[in-house]
């Protein structure tokens, strides 16, 4: 039996709710048919990726403008990072022509009713589903965090399919929307000392590479903060393509425990660190906040930078969500960071901003940021703790 549609869904497909809703429903039903879904299910939250004009280009912008002619979101929808801080882009060295186009992208989303705050940590700023809720998110680290740490149900959507879910309020029921596809397949015993976000990023790199798309069940992690888990989610999704993990005593999903066992040791983490450390890296760019920094991380960074000055020839980006930046302004953290010569950058990140050719060496606490810095921007990289990154900036 094929995909069954409810009357309203059928109406959307027939164009009775406008052109954009028809296109959106075509995308969703096509995906549903490809993946053998039997029905569509409502989603309560959407997060759309592919927002940077650097990735979208003119063709992407044209598509969005067309959808914005009569498209309207039906559920809470936020955006992934754009290519620049939507307000302070000039002082971050973003070109005017790029800024104009990026603004046109965000305007198109806004016209459709999208809440145009651009972040990969929507769960820190109010786009927060609960356990068991079906959602349609696109950014890989956020998807992994939502499925694993929150226990919400989402596939990793592409930009167009996430927008389609926003405009119809539904998604096709397949993949990680079904309990049976969320069961752990390999057990990972962690015999390693994990202290900081960089360690959790390296753990994600080790497990991600080994596990590929098989779902891990991780044991041996005694304490993990939200910051650790967002770093881990980003890294395991980047290096392994896995969109869900289970962590015993930490994450909420029910699963059986697999018989196949893998072990991760301190040596594995050391090897992973060596892989991300380019010996000849000359650090001229320090970026923290991948995934976007929490207010707790920003407070810590502000206290290290307070009264200090960023060394000449070095640029520092602390990337975060706009509402978190606003809070940092209220709390005086922004002033401490910016007085030191570092930038608190909202709405953007070091991977999706147009930074190619501007720097040669990135120091970061994020294994995911290293991946994109090398691949997309051809920077050399070094991975350190947040504190070491900031100390490097002022040395
Ligand atoms: Fe977020 Fe950009 Fe990192 S989207 S996870 S800060 S690469």
């Amino acid at each position: 039996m094929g995909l069954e549609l409810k009357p309203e869904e059928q109406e959307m497909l027939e164009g009775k709710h406008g052109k954009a809703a028809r296109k959106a429903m075509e995308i969703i039903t096509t995906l549903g048919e490809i993946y053998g879904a039997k029905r569509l299910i409502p989603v309560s939250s959407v997060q759309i990726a592919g927002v940077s004009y650097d990735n979208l280009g003119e063709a992407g912008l044209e598509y969005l403008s067309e959808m914005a002619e009569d498209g309207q979101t039906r559920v809470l929808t936020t955006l992934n990072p754009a290519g620049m801080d939507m307000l302070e882009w000039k002082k971050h060295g973003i070109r005017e022509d790029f800024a104009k186009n990026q603004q046109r992208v965000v305007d198109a989303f806004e016209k459709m009713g999208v809440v145009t705050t651009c972040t990969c940590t929507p769960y820190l700023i109010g786009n927060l589903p609960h356990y068991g809720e079906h959602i349609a998110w696109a950014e890989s680290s956020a998807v992994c965090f939502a499925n694993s740490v929150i226990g919400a149900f989402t596939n990793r959507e592409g930009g167009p399919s996430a927008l389609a879910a926003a405009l119809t309020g539904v998604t096709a029921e397949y993949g990680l929307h079904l309990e049976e596809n969320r069961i752990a397949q390999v057990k990972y015993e962690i015999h390693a000392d994990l202290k900081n976000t960089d360690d959790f990023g390296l753990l994600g790199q080790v497990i991600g590479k080994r596990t590929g798309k098989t779902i891990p069940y991780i044991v041996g992690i005694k304490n993990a903060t939200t910051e650790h888990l967002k770093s881990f989610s980003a890294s395991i999704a980047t290096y392994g393509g896995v969109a869900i993990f289970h962590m015993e005593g930490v994450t909420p999903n029910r699963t059986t425990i697999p018989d196949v066992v893998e072990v991760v040791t301190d040596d594995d983490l050391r090897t992973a660190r060596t892989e991300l450390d380019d010996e000849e890296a000359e650090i001229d760019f320090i970026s923290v906040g991948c995934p976007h920094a929490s207010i707790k991380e920003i407070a810590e960074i502000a206290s290290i930078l307070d009264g200090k000055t960023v060394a000449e020839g070095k640029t520092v980006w602390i990337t975060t969500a706009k509402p978190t930046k606003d809070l940092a302004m209220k709390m005086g953290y922004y002033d401490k960071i910016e007085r030191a010569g570092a930038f608190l950058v909202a709405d953007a990140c070091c991977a999706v901003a147009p930074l190619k050719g501007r720097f040669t060496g990135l120091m970061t606490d994020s294994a995911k940021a290293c991946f994109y810095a090398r691949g997309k921007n051809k920077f050399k990289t070094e991975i350190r703790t947040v504190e070491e990154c900031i100390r490097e900036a002022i040395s």
Side-chain angles (χ1 to χ4, degrees):
M1 206 173 60
L3 185 61
E4 268 189 32
L5 298 184
K6 296 193 192 82
E8 196 189 20
E9 294 161 356
Q10 188 60 42
E11 277 175 23
M12 284 192 216
L13 197 57
E14 288 163 7
K16 291 183 181 152
H17 294 262
K19 224 171 43 171
R22 176 177 54 74
K23 269 197 192 159
M25 192 49 91
E26 279 169 4
I27 292 173
I28 286 174
T29 50
T30 304
L31 283 170
E33 273 154 21
I34 291 171
Y35 290 103
K38 293 197 175 65
R39 57 178 191 147
L40 306 185
I41 47 170
V43 293
S44 54
S45 152
V46 173
Q47 192 249 4
I48 299 175
V51 177
S52 172
Y53 183 75
D54 209 25
N55 304 332
L56 269 178
E58 211 41 44
L61 178 53
E62 226 171 82
Y63 176 76
L64 282 179
S65 308
E66 233 178 84
M67 295 299 267
E69 279 170 20
D70 69 346
Q72 270 305 304
T73 57
R74 290 178 165 233
V75 293
L76 171 66
T77 303
T78 56
L79 297 175
N80 209 38
M84 63 182 201
D85 184 301
M86 298 307 296
L87 293 178
E88 295 198 293
W89 53 269
K90 212 172 232 166
K91 75 175 185 189
H92 305 145
I94 302 293
R95 288 189 335 261
E96 188 128 14
D97 56 328
F98 180 89
K100 253 192 208 141
N101 287 325
Q102 184 63 72
Q103 188 62 56
R104 286 165 65 212
V105 171
V106 170
D107 289 347
F109 280 120
E110 200 156 300
K111 196 170 166 213
M112 288 185 267
V114 174
V115 177
T116 48
T117 188
C118 309
T119 182
C120 51
T121 56
Y123 47 87
L124 292 181
I125 54 126
N127 187 354
L128 175 63
H130 61 68
Y131 180 85
E133 207 166 356
H134 291 272
I135 61 174
W137 284 15
E139 207 284 317
S140 66
S141 74
V143 165
C144 197
F145 190 96
N147 276 321
S148 317
V149 181
I150 298 170
F153 286 40
T154 180
N155 285 317
R156 185 181 169 187
E157 301 291 346
S161 70
L163 176 60
L167 299 180
T168 58
V170 293
T171 192
E173 189 184 41
Y174 67 92
L176 292 174
H177 288 288
L178 298 166
E179 286 275 7
E180 67 258 32
N181 297 327
R182 300 167 64 88
I183 304 293
Q185 293 155 301
V186 184
K187 183 175 175 182
Y188 286 85
E189 288 180 5
I190 312 304
H191 300 287
D193 193 19
L194 302 158
K195 289 196 188 78
N196 299 299
T197 47
D198 59 328
D199 298 324
F200 276 83
L202 293 169
L203 181 67
Q205 182 189 345
V206 171
I207 298 181
K209 279 188 174 174
R210 272 198 224 170
T211 214
K213 284 195 174 6
T214 56
I215 300 175
Y217 183 87
I218 301 155
V219 297
I221 309 257
K222 287 169 202 80
N223 295 304
T225 64
T226 299
E227 287 74 16
H228 294 151
L229 292 168
K230 77 177 162 72
S231 175
F232 180 76
S233 297
S235 182
I236 194 170
T238 299
Y239 289 93
V242 77
I244 183 170
F245 63 87
H246 304 268
M247 202 178 266
E248 197 173 85
V250 178
T251 59
N253 289 302
R254 286 183 295 266
T255 178
T256 48
I257 301 174
D259 296 329
V260 187
V261 176
E262 291 266 341
V263 174
V264 179
T265 64
D266 278 318
D267 269 352
D268 294 319
L269 295 196
R270 260 192 296 276
T271 307
R273 187 178 288 280
T274 316
E275 279 170 19
L276 293 186
D277 274 352
D278 289 309
E279 263 173 35
E280 70 279 30
E282 278 178 33
I283 302 301
D284 53 0
F285 184 40
I286 291 109
S287 185
V288 172
C290 169
H292 272 175
S294 67
I295 194 68
K296 183 175 155 202
E297 289 175 302
I298 293 171
E300 284 162 10
I301 292 164
S303 90
I304 306 173
L305 280 175
D306 191 15
K308 309 280 190 325
T309 307
V310 169
E312 226 185 291
K314 287 182 182 151
T315 299
V316 182
W317 277 27
I318 316 299
T319 53
T320 193
K322 180 67 167 59
T324 314
K325 180 171 174 175
D326 290 344
L327 194 54
M329 284 176 158
K330 182 168 180 277
M331 295 304 297
Y333 307 150
Y334 172 88
D335 282 344
K336 286 179 185 165
I337 290 169
E338 298 260 332
R339 259 201 307 264
F343 296 123
L344 185 60
V345 179
D347 296 321
C349 81
C350 64
V352 297
L355 296 178
K356 200 167 179 187
R358 277 184 59 186
F359 304 108
T360 58
L362 167 74
M363 183 179 281
T364 176
D365 67 316
S366 165
K368 175 172 180 175
C370 290
F371 181 89
Y372 284 101
R374 287 172 158 194
K376 185 175 172 231
N377 288 328
K378 310 289 172 225
F379 299 159
K380 305 269 187 224
T381 61
E382 281 183 4
I383 184 163
R384 297 287 183 275
T385 65
V386 171
E387 186 172 347
E388 285 165 342
C389 287
I390 303 303
R391 301 232 175 267
E392 168 73 21
I394 53 183
S395 64

